[in-house]
Amino acid sequence: KLAAYHQCADDTSTAAITRKNTELTKRLVTDQLQSAFPEEIQKIDFTHLSVEVRAAGGARGALYHQIVFKNAPGVTVTNVLSEGEARSLSLAAFLTELTTAPTRSAIIFDDPVSSLDHLWRERIAARLASEAKTRQVVVFTHDILFLRLLLEYSRNEGIDCLNQYIRREGQAGYCSADLPWQAMPIKERLGRLRTHLQVAEKVL
């Protein structure tokens, strides 16, 4: 019985699966990630530090990857980068990983520029607008500056934007296709004021 149990344990070991998965992932995924990642960090102008994607070992049939410094692979990247730099690099890694997917599915971001300064906000806005040329990009944000940058770069790329503004007006969850007043161009503000004036004149 003991020998049978040992045989069962050997037969259910995932080591062979992990080895095969590592082999296939390196051939089909890792090489593509390593070639696409430098292009992606160039797109967000992350050029002040030299980083790359490397395989980080496998377990239970899965192969993992990590971002490391080219000249100091033993140093943990997150111990060196600021929170904003780490978030920007994570976004670049995510967009790099999308290059391995066969589909152009939509992607959703929830406040992707939290903790970023104005320079990184602008770079991320430009990158997301560029990505919207080939797939639907949905962004939730309460950052008015970032919203204006997204609209500006989308307009420059010829991308149509659909705005949805969620606010409180006596009750939560009031949704409108208008931009927040602070984010409106002057022309749209004047149009809104004229509309309010017409409504007020009818009431009077």
Side-chain angles (χ1 to χ4, degrees), residues 3 13 29 60 67 85 90 151 174 180 196 204:
S13 172
V29 178
R60 296 186 179 277
I67 299 173
E85 289 174 325
S90 296
L151 294 173
Y174 183 81
H196 288 327
L204 296 175

Side-chain angles (χ1 to χ4, degrees), residues 74-147:
V75 177
T76 303
V77 170
T78 52
N79 290 341
V80 177
L81 302 182
S82 67
E83 185 177 351
E85 289 174 325
R87 180 179 283 266
S88 300
L89 206 55
S90 296
L91 177 63
F94 169 71
L95 292 173
T96 300
E97 189 175 355
L98 287 181
T99 65
T100 65
T103 63
R104 307 298 297 178
S105 60
I107 50 178
I108 301 175
F109 297 95
D110 184 7
D111 206 5
V113 295
S114 176
S115 304
L116 300 188
D117 62 23
H118 64 287
L119 294 176
W120 285 114
R121 277 182 170 87
E122 186 166 1
R123 294 167 185 171
I124 298 304
R127 180 65 189 91
L128 294 184
S130 175
E131 188 66 22
K133 290 190 294 185
T134 58
R135 72 172 78 235
Q136 184 183 32
V137 177
V138 180
V139 180
F140 293 92
T141 184
H142 62 272
D143 189 310
I144 296 297
L145 171 60
F146 182 57
L147 173 59

Side-chain angles (χ1 to χ4, degrees), residues 10-66:
D10 292 340
D11 289 343
T12 56
S13 172
T14 60
I17 298 174
T18 300
R19 285 194 297 271
K20 177 56 70 174
N21 186 70
T22 299
E23 175 190 339
L24 293 174
T25 303
K26 183 180 186 308
R27 186 193 314 164
L28 303 175
V29 178
T30 304
D31 293 345
Q32 184 174 346
L33 288 177
Q34 290 175 336
S35 63
F37 186 63
E39 297 177 11
E40 193 59 52
I41 60 178
Q42 284 287 339
K43 291 177 182 178
I44 62 169
D45 200 21
F46 194 102
T47 57
H48 57 295
L49 294 172
S50 183
V51 293
E52 65 181 358
V53 172
R54 290 186 183 177
R60 296 186 179 277
L63 179 65
Y64 301 100
H65 297 85
Q66 64 180 356

Side-chain angles (χ1 to χ4, degrees), residues 173-191:
Y174 183 81
C175 191
S176 141
D178 295 325
L179 289 170
W181 177 264
Q182 300 94 324
M184 280 186 183
I186 298 299
K187 184 178 180 180
E188 290 186 23
R189 290 188 185 188
L190 292 175

Side-chain angles (χ1 to χ4, degrees), residues 194-204:
R194 292 191 185 97
T195 300
H196 288 327
L197 178 60
Q198 292 172 358
V199 173
E201 288 175 341
K202 291 179 179 179
V203 171
L204 296 175

